[in-house]
Amino acid sequence: MNRADFVEGLRGGSAVALASAPFGALFGALAVENGMSLSEAAFMSATVYAGASQMVGIELFGHNVHAWLIVLSILAVNFRHVLYSAALARYIGHFTPVQKFFTFFLLVDPQFAEAVKRGESGRQLTFAWYLGFGIIIYIPWVLISVVGGMLGGFIGDPKAIGLDILLPAYFLGIVLGFRKRDNFLPVALVSAVASVLAYRYVGSPWHVSLGAAVGILLAAVLPLPPQETDLEADALKSEVHEV
């Protein structure tokens, strides 16, 4: 492994680790409040490793919902990771199968965003960088979940001090990081409207996947930017000329 890339990944991920710490503590507090032990909360953070899905899971646990429904709900929230994996495929073709396993396990939203930005900038997406970026977020996330569970009684009602706004603000920041992309505004707007309507008429957590699906459909039917169209046309002409 390239040590310089690994250290660069650690530095890049440290900011995300600090930003996600309050959210991890909030999960731990809510998990214990809903009847989980500290070890169970830590185990969920270590295995599920997805903040939004963990929140959905403990909320359903607290209402004595059937296990299959909890798993299905978490799958609905995490379905976007299938799309993340597809988008990353072009940059990790040189990874070994074991490296790809850890790549997809550590694939959370900020990890995806930074990995794509690195790949699109022309820099090689090395496993050393990816692992460094990932573990500096993963390990503190698990530890902070335990701390939150231990000190959760001192937090009280999270909504009373505004901690419930952490998740939407966190995701909004990630989305705005792609605001310079073509067709960003119509896709983001349609996804948001569809998600709100799905939340109103279908319910949580399905609004996450439904909003994303509508945005994907719109992106698929919108015309390509002129420069991409020209590049495809030039490539087609080249192939015809070779034939």
Side-chain angles (χ1 to χ4, degrees), residues 8 11 17 21 67 96 113 116 160 184 221 224 233:
E8 183 183 356
R11 290 174 179 171
T96 66
V116 168
F184 168 82
V221 301
L224 291 173

Side-chain angles (χ1 to χ4, degrees), residues 60 159 223:
L60 296 177
K159 295 181 180 179

Side-chain angles (χ1 to χ4, degrees), residues 9-10 12-18 20 49 106 108 110-111 131-143 170:
L10 290 175
S14 60
V16 179
L18 289 174
S20 62
Y49 186 45
L106 295 171
V108 291
Q111 185 96 17
L131 182 63
F133 195 100
I135 63 173
I136 199 64
I137 303 172
Y138 174 75
I139 295 176
W141 172 262
V142 178
L143 296 177
Y170 167 74

Side-chain angles (χ1 to χ4, degrees), residues 19-204:
S20 62
F23 189 53
L26 176 61
F27 162 75
L30 293 177
V32 172
E33 183 181 331
N34 280 273
M36 282 189 173
S37 65
L38 286 177
S39 59
E40 289 171 339
F43 182 75
M44 187 173 187
S45 282
T47 54
V48 178
Y49 186 45
S53 299
Q54 290 176 221
M55 291 295 189
V56 170
I58 60 174
E59 181 180 350
L60 296 177
F61 277 129
H63 290 83
N64 296 319
V65 177
H66 291 295
W68 68 268
L69 185 56
I70 296 175
V71 173
L72 191 61
S73 299
I74 291 176
L75 178 63
V77 176
N78 272 359
F79 183 77
R80 68 189 186 281
H81 288 251
V82 176
L83 306 177
Y84 288 172
S85 302
L88 278 181
R90 71 183 74 177
Y91 304 119
I92 62 172
H94 58 288
F95 286 10
T96 66
V98 174
Q99 290 174 339
K100 288 180 180 178
F101 171 83
F102 287 105
T103 295
F104 295 134
F105 177 77
L106 295 171
L107 185 57
V108 291
D109 300 283
Q111 185 96 17
F112 165 75
E114 292 302 320
V116 168
K117 289 178 182 178
R118 184 181 178 91
E120 289 181 345
S121 69
R123 304 179 65 189
Q124 185 183 28
L125 183 60
T126 63
F127 181 69
W129 174 87
Y130 192 99
L131 182 63
F133 195 100
I135 63 173
I136 199 64
I137 303 172
Y138 174 75
I139 295 176
W141 172 262
V142 178
L143 296 177
I144 290 296
S145 297
V146 176
V147 174
M150 295 172 62
L151 304 179
F154 297 99
I155 297 178
D157 183 7
K159 295 181 180 179
I161 55 178
L163 287 180
D164 59 319
I165 199 63
L166 285 174
L167 182 60
Y170 167 74
F171 279 111
L172 182 61
I174 292 176
V175 171
L176 290 178
F178 292 91
R179 63 187 180 278
K180 294 183 179 180
R181 287 196 168 192
D182 297 298
N183 299 324
F184 168 82
L185 186 58
V187 171
L189 182 61
V190 167
S191 294
V193 172
S195 183
V196 170
L197 292 175
Y199 183 82
R200 172 66 177 82
Y201 295 104
V202 181
S204 176

